[in-house]
Amino acid sequence: MPNSIVSKDLFAREALAQIPKILTLLDRNPHSPTYGCFDRNFWHYKIIDFPSGMAQEFVWPLALAYEADLPGNPYYQQPRIKDWVEAGILFAVRAAHPDGSCDDYFPYERATGATAFSLLACLESYVALGLMDYETLQFFERRANWLANHHESGQLANHEALIILCLERLGQVLQTPQWRRLIAARLEKLLSWQSEEGWFTEYEGCDPGYQTLTISCLARLQAIRPDPRLQKSLVKAVELAAHFIHPDGTYGGEYTSRNTYNFFPHGFELVGQWLPDALRINDRFLQGLNHGLSPCYADDHIIGHHTWNYLLAWRDFVPERPIPKSRDVASLWLKKAQILIKRRPNVELYIALNKGGVFKLFRDNKLLISDTQISLQVRQGKYLKNAVGHLVSPYEITVEQDEITIAGRLGWAKQTQMSPWKLIVLRLVMLSVGRFFPDLIRKTLQKILITGKQLAPFQFKRQFLWENNQWHILDHLYADSWQDVTSAGIDCAQTSIYVVMSRTFQSGQLQPWIDLMPQIQRLNPGQPLMIKRSF
């Protein structure tokens, strides 16, 4: 990949391209009872019975577009944009619960993420556009108090960082120290979630994508109120993130704990003011962005996150860039994260040891192959179930200089879907006792959709061998019988847990499905499936 630095305006152009869709999601009719609502499924299609509070986060991209003095920006200083931002903030006020919280996926959920994202967005938009409304400020304070005293199930470092930033920023705006003690306590907790390897916990481990959002929040916090401990934490976090910016400028993927391609660049610009290596990460990402390699996040629920973060990165872009460095040639084994990066000259292999050997392989700065392990469709009675090798689990692992082995059992993929009856039950629960115990409902859904693994009756062994300047991948799959297997293959981007920001499209996913059924159909009972590939 060439070392020339792509213009910072690429961040702004990518973000501004999303504004028409964000405006389409918005009810722009001043006489509508839902004026300012960004949940089109609620106000327009009327296919859901409550608005998602997360959608009001979309005011921030609009506010930033209104401020962006960039040639060709049609939204710059447009009065209607300012009107719509204010309407979006006021709708957030009206749609919130009395305690300031909001829902995202089901009524009375009181979703921490949606509440924090939308508060930060509404607050920053309110300040940026110089709005003045006492009722809105009271709402911000109620929402902040709810966040300050609420602790969600699971460890999601990005949410914790968002909450801390919300409290700090609102304390600034209201000129009050009322959350100072809680900020200190929550920051202490968040820093305890950072491993010695530099990553922050996201459910079951290390997700470099969400890590960049945590970095963005903490970098902003450090800029507001410098703290030596926070600076040290950011250095470790950025150094870790640098290992996951691929040679082609892409970032993360299915070999991480939450399967995301997330990349939030703003924090690297802020940290880059005092740590130049952070800027090198953004420069390489810009190269990938320039080649059309960024993932698509333009769906109705998540389009806002990257849009506002890209515009902030454009706004705070550091003009003096460091000289590009050659790619690191040293391998890295993150033993706690269970991610192994094996590097050879012009060859880089990223392996998830705790996900059965899911991997990405790059040669000469290009993606050669992405592999998310063997997947089987198995008939059990009248049902088809999916056995996969990519679920997080403590597999048997051997790591040597030129040979890596991962062995274990496939697990049943999580494929739970909603049905009319399930939705009716969920509504009845939430409208009665569930509204008083939303965290219990959330914890139950997390267990069903995200965490845990049920073993399937198939064993595997995957080996990576480095010979003759090539990686050779040997797969062995064992079963007592193959007769119930109706389909089998290896995909480049298959995942099986629910993660909001995962399963986005990225051009590297155009690799063909590897069909294993012809080999399986030739096997005798008890005979293993063996696959050998060389790259």
Side-chain angles (χ1 to χ4, degrees):
M1 179 175 295
N3 287 328
S4 60
I5 297 173
V6 179
S7 167
K8 72 167 189 173
D9 288 349
L10 186 56
F11 279 137
R13 288 197 297 270
E14 288 283 316
L16 292 176
Q18 309 306 322
I19 300 300
K21 176 163 186 177
I22 289 175
L23 289 173
T24 299
L25 295 174
L26 170 66
D27 184 352
R28 303 178 305 283
N29 176 5
H31 289 174
S32 168
T34 53
Y35 178 45
C37 177
F38 284 87
D39 191 339
R40 189 174 172 87
N41 285 330
F42 174 71
W43 68 263
H44 180 64
Y45 294 118
K46 298 176 176 56
I47 57 177
I48 58 173
D49 51 349
F50 71 99
S52 168
M54 178 69 87
Q56 298 314 112
E57 175 204 22
F58 299 167
V59 296
W60 201 4
L62 294 186
L64 291 167
Y66 175 84
E67 289 189 301
D69 187 2
L70 179 75
N73 174 14
Y75 315 105
Y76 178 62
Q77 297 294 302
Q78 288 284 352
R80 291 306 301 274
I81 296 293
K82 185 176 181 179
D83 292 343
W84 291 331
V85 170
E86 186 170 10
I89 295 171
L90 292 176
F91 185 83
V93 176
R94 297 198 307 273
H97 292 294
D99 59 11
S101 65
C102 65
D103 303 326
D104 197 6
Y105 289 99
F106 48 89
Y108 298 101
E109 176 190 6
R110 290 179 165 82
T112 303
T115 302
F117 269 108
S118 55
L119 172 58
L120 183 63
C122 290
L123 173 61
E124 295 291 358
S125 301
Y126 180 94
V127 173
L129 300 187
L131 303 178
M132 296 294 292
D133 183 78
Y134 182 65
E135 181 187 0
T136 298
L137 291 176
Q138 285 185 312
F139 161 69
F140 289 160
E141 187 171 7
R142 284 197 307 276
R143 180 160 285 195
N145 281 329
W146 184 85
L147 285 169
N149 294 287
H150 180 74
H151 299 274
E152 66 183 331
S153 58
Q155 292 185 352
L156 286 83
N158 74 93
H159 284 186
E160 198 66 24
L162 275 166
I163 292 169
I164 295 167
L165 180 56
C166 284
L167 299 178
E168 183 66 41
R169 283 292 290 130
L170 187 57
Q172 271 191 318
V173 172
L174 298 180
Q175 298 182 341
T176 174
Q178 65 175 299
W179 298 294
R180 182 68 50 222
R181 180 180 57 81
L182 288 169
I183 289 172
R186 297 196 79 131
L187 182 59
E188 187 74 30
K189 179 173 69 172
L190 175 58
L191 293 180
S192 75
W193 290 355
Q194 187 177 27
S195 78
E196 295 175 358
E197 296 169 341
W199 49 274
F200 289 93
T201 303
E202 296 288 347
Y203 279 123
E204 295 179 286
C206 168
D207 185 86
Y210 277 106
Q211 173 103 350
T212 63
L213 178 55
T214 301
I215 288 171
S216 282
C217 295
L218 295 185
R220 184 80 187 285
L221 193 66
Q222 175 68 8
I224 295 169
R225 190 181 298 276
D227 180 335
R229 286 193 315 150
L230 185 52
Q231 183 173 15
K232 182 179 178 181
S233 171
L234 278 166
V235 170
K236 288 170 59 179
V238 168
E239 288 175 347
L240 185 280
H243 288 290
F244 294 97
I245 185 76
H246 303 142
D248 63 354
T250 58
Y251 188 88
E254 293 79 16
Y255 63 89
T256 66
S257 75
R258 300 190 74 190
N259 312 306
T260 74
Y261 290 86
N262 281 341
F263 186 82
F264 295 93
H266 184 228
F268 297 108
E269 292 301 317
L270 296 181
V271 174
Q273 295 172 10
W274 46 268
L275 183 68
D277 279 346
L279 301 179
R280 292 189 174 97
I281 298 173
N282 269 0
D283 289 344
R284 184 162 289 273
F285 179 76
L286 278 168
Q287 295 286 349
L289 202 61
N290 192 46
H291 287 85
L293 297 179
S294 62
C296 175
Y297 284 102
D299 85 357
D300 293 359
H301 292 274
I302 60 176
I303 189 173
H305 301 342
H306 289 82
T307 306
W308 59 255
N309 203 269
Y310 278 24
L311 285 168
L312 289 174
W314 171 81
R315 186 192 70 185
D316 296 330
F317 196 82
V318 178
E320 297 297 324
R321 314 301 283 188
I323 297 172
K325 284 183 177 179
S326 300
R327 294 288 294 178
D328 195 342
V329 295
S331 295
L332 176 70
W333 184 5
L334 300 170
K335 293 186 177 180
K336 289 190 176 180
Q338 285 295 284
I339 295 175
L340 178 65
I341 305 174
K342 296 291 285 186
R343 297 188 175 105
R344 300 288 190 273
N346 298 317
V347 180
E348 297 188 24
L349 175 65
Y350 297 73
I351 312 173
L353 300 175
N354 62 343
K355 298 178 78 172
V358 168
F359 71 91
K360 286 186 182 293
L361 177 61
F362 298 84
R363 183 184 286 272
D364 298 326
N365 295 330
K366 293 182 180 179
L367 178 66
L368 204 59
I369 184 170
S370 179
D371 180 305
T372 49
Q373 251 284 5
I374 292 172
S375 176
L376 307 176
Q377 202 166 49
V378 184
R379 184 169 298 282
Q380 291 197 337
K382 62 179 182 179
Y383 298 104
L384 284 175
K385 296 184 69 175
N386 184 203
V388 297
H390 57 243
L391 295 177
V392 172
S393 188
Y395 297 104
E396 296 178 19
I397 299 165
T398 303
V399 177
E400 297 177 0
Q401 180 65 20
D402 295 323
E403 181 176 349
I404 304 106
T405 303
I406 304 109
R409 286 175 63 179
L410 302 188
W412 294 116
K414 296 176 182 294
Q415 296 182 314
T416 302
Q417 294 293 123
M418 276 297 183
S419 66
W421 173 243
K422 289 178 183 177
L423 280 172
I424 290 171
V425 170
L426 181 59
R427 288 294 188 272
L428 290 174
V429 169
M430 293 312 300
L431 291 172
S432 54
V433 295
R435 63 196 299 174
F436 304 107
F437 306 100
D439 289 338
L440 177 61
I441 303 299
R442 176 183 170 85
K443 190 173 183 179
T444 302
L445 290 174
Q446 285 173 344
K447 187 174 182 181
I448 293 171
L449 300 173
I450 302 174
T451 60
K453 174 182 175 180
Q454 288 185 318
L455 296 176
F458 301 92
Q459 293 182 312
F460 74 88
K461 181 172 73 172
R462 169 165 281 189
Q463 291 177 286
F464 298 82
L465 302 174
W466 177 258
E467 293 177 351
N468 302 321
N469 198 37
Q470 283 187 318
W471 278 109
H472 304 273
I473 318 298
L474 284 72
D475 282 308
H476 293 77
L477 186 65
Y478 306 89
D480 293 334
S481 171
W482 298 104
Q483 67 177 4
D484 294 325
V485 176
T486 62
S487 179
I490 297 175
D491 197 11
C492 61
Q494 188 179 5
T495 68
S496 300
I497 62 171
Y498 175 77
V499 177
V500 177
M501 302 292 288
S502 69
R503 301 182 185 180
T504 55
F505 174 74
Q506 196 257 2
S507 60
Q509 297 168 6
L510 292 172
Q511 297 174 34
W513 165 268
I514 301 173
D515 188 4
L516 302 178
M517 278 308 291
Q519 295 101 303
I520 286 179
Q521 289 168 346
R522 293 194 293 266
L523 296 176
N524 296 318
Q527 185 179 4
L529 171 68
M530 293 183 288
I531 312 154
K532 182 175 181 180
R533 295 169 289 163
S534 299
F535 305 98

